[in-house]
Amino acid sequence: MKAMKTTEELELHYHDIMELFSIADQLVENTASAENPTLYVSEIEHLAEVVMETADTLSEEFFVITNGKAESKQVSGKKIEGALRRAYVTMSDFTKKASASTRKHAEKLLTKLKRQLEVVIASVVEFVQISLDRVMQKADIEELKRRQERIALMLHQMSQKPLS
């Protein structure tokens, strides 16, 4: 692990996580302008709930990691992986199952959500080791590597290490 982060750097990482709550709220607030608000709510509700649960888990575990003991990092890493996996699976399910009008209406927010999750992942990997292949699909990992240089470097370095 690198040198200890400053309070300001930790606050920025925490803010990245808190932004997920804002996006979940925006998904729900977007209902008023939907073509079919009732359908939109029924199709977006589960996604918004999972995003909020993910943000809640991430914020709790971030606190544990930055203020806790080294032993707690492994447990936190598993909880973080699980929360991120639920978010990615739910987004994938949403894009497969939601109506075309709901997907179109939520498209910009879904893109924003995906990018914010990538920012959070880039922040989290500085503190705890997570396995991206257990979190997201290969196409998502490739997108993440293209947009997050640190992630691409980390994955490359991990692939160069001999297996124990």
Side-chain angles (χ1 to χ4, degrees):
M1 187 166 118
K2 299 175 189 166
M4 188 56 154
K5 295 281 185 185
T6 65
T7 302
E8 293 81 18
E9 289 172 317
L10 292 174
E11 286 175 4
L12 287 174
H13 290 307
Y14 189 73
H15 176 73
D16 290 339
I17 294 169
M18 293 295 99
E19 182 63 23
L20 294 172
F21 284 114
S22 175
I23 295 170
D25 288 342
Q26 291 171 33
L27 284 166
V28 174
E29 290 168 1
N30 206 20
T31 301
S33 59
E35 183 179 305
N36 182 338
T38 305
L39 178 62
Y40 179 83
V41 166
S42 70
E43 292 180 337
I44 204 77
E45 184 176 36
H46 180 65
L47 175 60
E49 287 173 0
V50 169
V51 171
M52 292 181 104
E53 289 168 4
T54 297
D56 193 41
T57 299
L58 292 171
S59 63
E60 288 174 10
E61 295 310 314
F62 185 78
F63 182 78
V64 168
I65 289 167
T66 58
N67 296 305
K69 297 182 167 86
E71 323 62 87
S72 62
K73 286 186 181 183
Q74 188 173 8
V75 171
S76 290
K78 292 187 184 312
K79 289 180 181 179
I80 289 168
E81 276 184 11
L84 290 169
R85 182 174 34 256
R86 281 189 301 278
Y88 273 94
V89 166
T90 304
M91 282 191 308
S92 178
D93 289 348
F94 174 81
T95 58
K96 292 174 187 168
K97 297 176 182 176
S99 65
S101 66
T102 297
R103 283 193 320 269
K104 185 175 186 217
H105 190 67
E107 184 177 30
K108 288 181 183 174
L109 286 172
L110 282 176
T111 299
K112 184 177 180 179
L113 172 60
K114 193 171 192 175
R115 299 302 177 267
Q116 192 61 33
L117 283 169
E118 291 172 359
V119 167
V120 168
I121 290 169
S123 294
V124 168
V125 296
E126 291 184 28
F127 299 95
V128 67
Q129 186 174 354
I130 59 173
S131 177
L132 295 179
D133 61 338
R134 289 191 295 231
V135 170
M136 58 184 75
Q137 297 175 0
K138 185 175 171 89
D140 293 323
I141 293 172
E142 293 304 316
E143 283 182 43
L144 176 66
K145 286 175 13 183
R146 281 194 302 275
R147 283 190 284 280
Q148 296 288 336
E149 205 172 297
R150 287 187 316 224
I151 299 291
L153 180 61
M154 177 197 73
L155 292 173
H156 175 72
Q157 288 171 343
M158 287 172 52
S159 71
Q160 299 302 309
K161 289 182 181 176
L163 296 173
S164 356

